[in-house]
Amino acid sequence: MNTKVLHTVEFDKIIDLLTEKADSEPGKKLCRELLPMNSLADIERAQRQTADAAACIFRKGSISFGSNRDFSFTFGALSIGSSLTAPELLHLSSFLNNVQRAQSYGLSEAPNQLPPIVPAASPEDEEGEDSLFDLFDTLCPLPHISSEIRRCIISEEEIADDASSELRRIRRAIGQTNDKVHAQLSKMVNSTHTNYLQDAVITMRGNRYCIPVKTEYKSQVPGIVHDQSGSGSTLFIEPTAVVELNNTLRELLLQEKKEEERILAEISAQAAAHIFELEANARTMTQLDFIFAKASLAMDMNATRPIMNDRHYIHIRCGRHPLIDPKKVVPIEFSIGDTYDMIIITGPNTGGKTVTLKTAGLFELMGMSGLHIPAADRSELSLFRDIFADIGDEQSIEQSLSTFSSHMTSIVDILRRVDRDCLCLFDELGAGTDPAEGAALAISILNFLHVRKIRTMATTHYTELKVYALRTDGIENASCEFNVDTLQPTYRLIMGIPGKSNAFAISKKLGLPGYIIETAREQLSQETQNFEDLLAELEENRKQAQKEKEEAEAVRLRIQRDEKALRDREKQLDEKRDKIIQKANEQAREILEDAKKKADEAISDMRKLGKTGDMKSMEHTRSALREQISSKNKKLQKKKAPAPKGKLKASDLHVGDKVRINSMGLTGYITSLPDRSGKVGVRCGIMNSKADLTDLSLIHEDAFGNTTQGKASSSYSLKKAFSQKGSSAGSSQVNISRSSGISAELNLLGMTTVDAIQELDKYLDDCRLSHLSSVRIVHGKGTGALRNAVQNYLRKQKWIKSYRAGDFGEGDAGVTIVELND
């Protein structure tokens, strides 16, 4: 990759932005050294790492690598056995703590275990894996080294007393000796030698304790003179009484220093034993810092991962130049390399032509460097061997080159080095010289590139190049839109339509007399005028088509909103229907439980009355029970619908219509039309019946498509059941006392829990009527589900005296013995 293009398309400014995102100096160094790669696999790997790092930041927040630094000198010292200083060891501890945090951050959502050998995965399979997992997993925090450093070293200037027992002993002795020296000197300063002293203070000279003595009293204070004041009136004397103590203190300080050096050497040796892990940590942390800097830059730019290919195909969707204010930049869309390999962009000055070229070149360099691009997803970039750009004014006074000469020098160099694997960007090709000759040269250069299928984008004002693009297959015109009314460019790139310079329109808007403009127009050839008129007509048609497209899009969005509202409404109705059904089921269950309770009480009463033979009381109990059930039915029945205005006719009914039998309060469906006697076949639940045509009301389906009549029907069935029980119970005393016909054992083997409980419930009712006091329920062992269901049922029945598992010889856990109340 030639380095000139990096500056031409301002890739170096992107590198500056990337460098600011890195936390550590080694990471910043990697950012500054970033260049486009020439391997599609390497590019895909870098893009994947950037995407995974951005996903980590989005899910878990940012991570800092600031404790990473250039440890080359530190690791070099450890490798040769040298001791590190306290500050160097503290930096190393901080780095290891950062490694620990980074590993915890990276592996927090990773699987607990990975197989020891992972087979090579296809690109499709690799998309589901985290490309950063291995980097985080290879980090080695060495917590014992970090904690040992923190235990022994308090700050850059202080070693902890607990670093070793010897250091603690030495420092304790230093403290005691200091106390003795201060006590002796304080006695001399405050009492015995007060008159001889210049000041009543204790001072240090040459790391030894002294007192300031007046020169004339030198003989009165025996000791060693260490210093003299500037005026000569004061001598700093170490009294003889503390010389030995100072000597002892000096020796202890030397021992302290030696012990501190031994401690630092010991910790350094521990770190040196893990030099390879430390060096690997530094490399990995630097790499992670670099990757997360790319991800942070991508998130700031609202960038996406481009699809990379090696087909020399570029497709940019809503691309935004990353160096322009996001609030002002206008997205552009274009593609090259599919149906055409060259784009010629025309339009007025300051309309965005050059920005489009730089955006294309910059996106390519960013994508090939593993950076995401500020464009919509599914944008595509290609791998190119090199990118050449001739953009801007390269006039050189030192080399005596004019604008045209400098451009032509650059173009000559490009044509000599370019091939099919390159991308070329030309700004104002052929400008700076005679327009006719410049246009001819530009066409010849573009044709040279077009014949060789070299991907090329060029900007121009020449009409000849617009015509060349229209007449040549594989070359596409494009233009930068300009608003003539406001005299401002819109910066929108329009593919397929050549642009106008709009010189006449702009001049007229600015106040140039019309006759001058008409005279200028006469200077144009008829062919040129026709071409410009054609461009104007195309532009007008394009605007009209764009307007219609926007209107159609607005209609489509409105339809989508309406459809969503309908779906939401339907969902609400479904939820409401489910709640109604659930409530109805709950009420039905309560009715059944209440009916069961009443039936149990009635059976118990009838058993008692059966012994006394009081048939009148039994009939009274049965009647009271039927009245309670009828009362329940009346409460549950829906109010009768208002009678229809017109009489229901046979022609109004169809098989399958939903109707209500008014006299019974039941709802059903027509199964057969009225016969000669006016009887209509109606199916209510599982019951088929005949109802009179005049007793029917036609029901129209509601919003849910059904009605909730289950509760009344259930109550009706219960009423019928209880009536039958009451009738049979009141028929004769012989039917109540039928113990001879009821077995004392119930076999539930092979049944489901639901069927078994139903059978058990019926059996126990019969047992109670038959005055059995003890029965045997056979349910088997198996999984224990049937046994648990039976015992759970028995536990809830108040009229069960007791129950237990069978003993040895009774069937063990495969049976349950039930004792019934009298």
Side-chain angles (χ1 to χ4, degrees):
M1 184 69 64
N2 71 92
T3 57
K4 178 183 176 182
V5 72
L6 304 180
H7 173 72
T8 302
V9 300
E10 301 176 299
F11 181 72
D12 50 347
K13 294 183 179 179
I14 299 298
I15 294 299
D16 292 339
L17 295 177
L18 176 64
T19 303
E20 293 176 1
K21 296 297 179 182
D23 296 323
S24 65
E25 187 54 40
K28 292 180 182 293
K29 184 173 182 292
L30 270 187
C31 292
R32 288 191 289 267
E33 294 173 352
L34 178 62
L35 290 173
M37 292 169 276
N38 54 13
S39 167
L40 187 60
D42 292 340
I43 295 172
E44 290 285 7
R45 186 182 305 108
Q47 288 285 354
R48 178 79 185 283
Q49 289 175 342
T50 305
D52 289 342
C56 281
I57 295 175
F58 182 79
R59 293 195 312 267
K60 312 175 191 178
S62 59
I63 175 70
S64 173
F65 301 91
S67 297
N68 185 30
R69 59 177 62 204
D70 185 3
F71 286 106
S72 57
F73 178 80
T74 300
F75 295 157
L78 290 177
S79 62
I80 62 175
S82 297
S83 296
L84 301 181
T85 63
E88 290 173 335
L89 286 172
L90 285 177
H91 290 325
L92 188 60
S93 174
S94 178
F95 169 69
L96 291 175
N97 288 335
N98 198 176
V99 170
Q100 177 67 57
R101 292 192 302 272
Q103 188 178 61
S104 299
Y105 172 88
L107 302 182
S108 58
E109 295 181 1
N112 294 329
Q113 293 182 348
L114 286 176
I117 299 177
V118 180
S122 64
E124 293 79 6
D125 295 332
E126 290 179 355
E127 285 298 320
E129 302 173 358
D130 187 351
S131 62
L132 303 181
F133 176 79
D134 288 341
L135 289 175
F136 283 114
D137 191 45
T138 55
L139 290 174
C140 186
L142 302 175
H144 62 288
I145 299 294
S146 176
S147 59
E148 181 66 11
I149 294 173
R150 288 294 179 185
R151 185 185 71 83
C152 296
I153 304 176
I154 297 177
S155 67
E156 294 185 359
E157 295 82 18
E158 183 179 2
I159 305 296
D161 293 347
D162 295 334
S164 71
S165 58
E166 179 64 15
L167 182 61
R168 186 187 306 109
R169 183 195 65 79
I170 293 173
R171 288 184 173 174
R172 187 183 300 113
I174 290 174
Q176 295 172 351
T177 304
N178 266 322
D179 292 342
K180 292 178 181 180
V181 171
H182 278 82
Q184 185 68 30
L185 292 179
S186 296
K187 181 179 178 182
M188 297 176 65
V189 168
N190 295 324
S191 58
T192 59
H193 294 71
T194 303
N195 297 330
Y196 308 143
L197 302 181
Q198 193 73 30
D199 296 297
V201 296
I202 300 173
T203 185
M204 292 282 291
R205 287 295 186 273
N207 292 327
R208 300 180 75 88
Y209 288 103
C210 303
I211 55 177
V213 180
K214 297 176 181 178
T215 303
E216 58 269 24
Y217 296 113
K218 173 184 177 183
S219 59
Q220 301 299 322
V221 183
I224 302 172
V225 178
H226 286 281
D227 199 1
Q228 184 179 17
S229 65
S231 63
S233 60
T234 304
L235 296 176
F236 295 94
I237 298 176
E238 177 186 4
T240 304
V242 298
V243 169
E244 188 61 29
L245 290 174
N246 272 333
N247 289 339
T248 301
L249 183 61
R250 184 66 176 170
E251 291 175 0
L252 290 172
L253 290 174
L254 292 175
Q255 292 177 18
E256 179 189 31
K257 182 178 180 182
K258 184 177 180 181
E259 180 63 16
E260 289 178 348
E261 291 175 350
R262 187 196 67 78
I263 292 171
L264 294 177
E266 183 178 344
I267 299 175
S268 298
Q270 294 179 21
H274 300 278
I275 184 64
F276 295 111
E277 291 93 333
L278 292 172
E279 290 176 343
N281 282 341
R283 290 192 298 270
T284 303
M285 290 288 282
T286 300
Q287 185 70 16
L288 286 171
D289 189 14
F290 168 65
I291 293 172
F292 274 82
K294 295 193 296 181
S296 180
L297 180 65
M299 297 187 75
D300 281 357
M301 291 182 176
N302 193 23
T304 61
R305 176 183 176 181
I307 301 172
M308 301 300 301
N309 65 76
D310 55 2
R311 298 178 288 108
H312 302 156
Y313 172 66
I314 301 174
H315 177 54
I316 303 299
R317 301 178 64 251
C318 297
R320 308 173 304 278
H321 196 289
L323 300 177
I324 300 178
D325 186 351
K327 297 180 181 179
K328 298 179 180 179
V329 65
V330 177
I332 60 173
E333 296 194 15
F334 68 90
S335 61
I336 184 174
D338 188 10
T339 56
Y340 46 86
D341 53 53
M342 183 176 294
I343 299 176
I344 296 178
I345 306 173
T346 52
N349 290 323
T350 69
K353 300 188 302 297
T354 304
V355 172
T356 300
L357 290 185
K358 288 188 174 182
T359 301
L362 187 55
F363 278 12
E364 270 296 328
L365 294 176
M366 291 175 67
M368 292 169 62
S369 301
L371 299 175
H372 288 185
I373 60 173
D377 58 341
R378 301 191 307 278
S379 294
E380 290 196 49
L381 297 175
S382 177
L383 171 65
F384 288 101
R385 180 185 63 81
D386 210 338
I387 299 175
F388 297 99
D390 179 56
I391 300 174
D393 187 1
E394 301 183 7
Q395 184 174 358
S396 174
I397 298 177
E398 292 82 1
Q399 298 180 9
S400 300
L401 294 177
S402 64
T403 299
F404 175 77
S405 299
S406 62
H407 279 294
M408 193 53 59
T409 300
S410 175
I411 292 171
V412 169
D413 180 64
I414 291 173
L415 296 181
R416 186 172 60 251
R417 300 164 58 188
V418 73
D419 58 29
R420 190 172 180 177
D421 294 327
C422 298
L423 172 66
C424 293
L425 307 172
F426 296 108
D427 187 27
E428 301 292 351
L429 184 62
T433 186
D434 179 77
E437 294 180 355
L441 275 174
I443 291 174
S444 180
I445 292 170
L446 294 178
N447 193 64
F448 172 85
L449 298 171
H450 175 57
V451 169
R452 289 161 178 77
K453 302 296 182 182
I454 297 172
R455 305 299 185 258
T456 305
M457 296 179 67
T459 67
T460 184
H461 285 285
Y462 293 144
T463 301
E464 291 85 348
L465 268 67
K466 304 175 190 178
V467 176
Y468 170 71
L470 289 173
R471 293 176 176 175
T472 309
D473 293 336
I475 301 179
E476 184 77 351
N477 267 307
S479 60
C480 290
E481 190 179 53
F482 188 85
N483 191 327
V484 180
D485 296 331
T486 61
L487 299 182
Q488 294 292 328
T490 63
Y491 303 107
R492 293 180 58 231
L493 182 67
I494 303 170
M495 298 299 298
I497 299 178
K500 295 179 60 179
S501 297
N502 294 299
F504 293 159
I506 294 173
S507 300
K508 182 178 181 180
K509 196 75 175 179
L510 294 175
L512 188 67
Y515 60 88
I516 295 180
I517 294 176
E518 289 301 322
T519 303
R521 195 182 298 276
E522 293 173 359
Q523 305 301 315
L524 296 176
S525 64
Q526 186 62 40
E527 181 180 353
T528 302
Q529 291 185 38
N530 293 340
F531 184 74
E532 292 295 326
D533 292 341
L534 175 61
L535 292 182
E537 183 178 352
L538 287 174
E539 177 66 13
E540 188 64 29
N541 292 337
R542 185 196 65 78
K543 289 182 177 179
Q544 182 63 28
Q546 181 67 23
K547 181 179 179 181
E548 293 175 356
K549 179 182 177 181
E550 292 173 354
E551 292 175 351
E553 181 67 14
V555 172
R556 186 183 67 83
L557 293 176
R558 185 169 64 252
I559 293 174
Q560 285 183 347
R561 287 195 298 269
D562 293 343
E563 289 179 348
K564 184 178 182 300
L566 288 174
R567 287 194 299 269
D568 293 343
R569 177 61 177 167
E570 183 179 358
K571 182 179 179 181
Q572 292 174 0
L573 292 175
D574 289 341
E575 292 175 353
K576 185 176 180 181
R577 179 193 63 190
D578 293 341
K579 289 179 180 179
I580 293 174
I581 294 175
Q582 182 180 1
K583 185 177 179 181
N585 291 333
E586 292 175 355
Q587 292 178 350
R589 184 171 61 252
E590 292 174 359
I591 293 170
L592 289 173
E593 291 177 354
D594 184 59
K596 177 64 175 174
K597 181 179 178 182
K598 296 295 184 182
D600 291 341
E601 293 174 354
I603 292 172
S604 179
D605 292 341
M606 283 187 278
R607 286 178 60 191
K608 294 176 182 179
L609 294 173
K611 295 178 180 179
T612 61
D614 190 350
M615 300 305 296
K616 184 177 181 180
S617 299
M618 292 172 61
E619 181 62 25
H620 177 73
T621 301
R622 186 176 68 85
S623 299
L625 181 60
R626 295 184 64 182
E627 289 177 1
Q628 291 180 0
I629 296 174
S630 298
S631 177
K632 287 284 186 182
N633 273 338
K634 290 179 181 179
K635 292 180 180 179
L636 290 174
Q637 285 179 356
K638 285 190 174 181
K639 293 182 179 179
K640 291 186 178 181
K645 295 181 179 180
K647 184 178 178 181
L648 190 62
K649 301 177 182 179
S651 59
D652 296 333
L653 299 179
H654 303 84
V655 174
D657 284 351
K658 194 170 187 179
V659 295
R660 185 191 317 279
I661 304 177
N662 297 323
S663 61
M664 300 176 65
L666 298 178
T667 302
Y669 293 90
I670 299 295
T671 58
S672 64
L673 296 178
D675 55 17
R676 294 181 179 179
S677 60
K679 297 295 184 179
V680 182
V682 181
R683 182 181 181 87
C684 300
I686 62 173
M687 181 179 69
N688 288 315
S689 63
K690 290 285 187 176
D692 194 273
L693 177 62
T694 59
D695 193 26
L696 298 180
S697 298
L698 187 63
I699 296 177
H700 296 284
E701 298 287 350
D702 59 13
F704 298 120
N706 62 0
T707 57
T708 54
Q709 296 297 326
K711 295 181 286 186
S713 299
S714 299
S715 297
Y716 176 79
S717 300
L718 286 171
K719 177 181 177 181
K720 181 178 179 182
F722 284 131
S723 297
Q724 292 174 351
K725 278 194 174 183
S727 298
S728 61
S731 60
S732 68
Q733 188 172 351
V734 176
N735 290 335
I736 296 175
S737 302
R738 47 177 182 169
S739 58
S740 60
I742 298 298
S743 172
E745 178 179 293
L746 175 64
N747 189 340
L748 302 178
L749 294 176
M751 296 186 182
T752 63
T753 56
V754 175
D755 294 339
I757 296 302
Q758 291 179 352
E759 186 68 22
L760 177 62
D761 181 68
K762 180 177 180 300
Y763 172 72
L764 291 178
D765 283 346
D766 292 341
C767 290
R768 293 176 67 193
L769 291 172
S770 301
H771 302 289
L772 295 181
S773 60
S774 177
V775 295
R776 182 170 179 261
I777 311 300
V778 181
H779 44 64
K781 297 179 181 179
T783 62
L786 190 55
R787 179 181 67 248
N788 293 336
V790 168
Q791 295 181 357
N792 286 336
Y793 169 81
L794 296 174
R795 187 182 302 113
K796 299 176 182 178
Q797 309 308 317
K798 297 180 179 180
W799 44 271
I800 299 295
K801 183 175 182 180
S802 65
Y803 66 90
R804 61 179 175 82
D807 294 330
F808 180 75
E810 292 179 322
D812 296 333
V815 302
T816 297
I817 307 300
V818 182
E819 300 290 337
L820 303 175
N821 288 323
D822 293 334

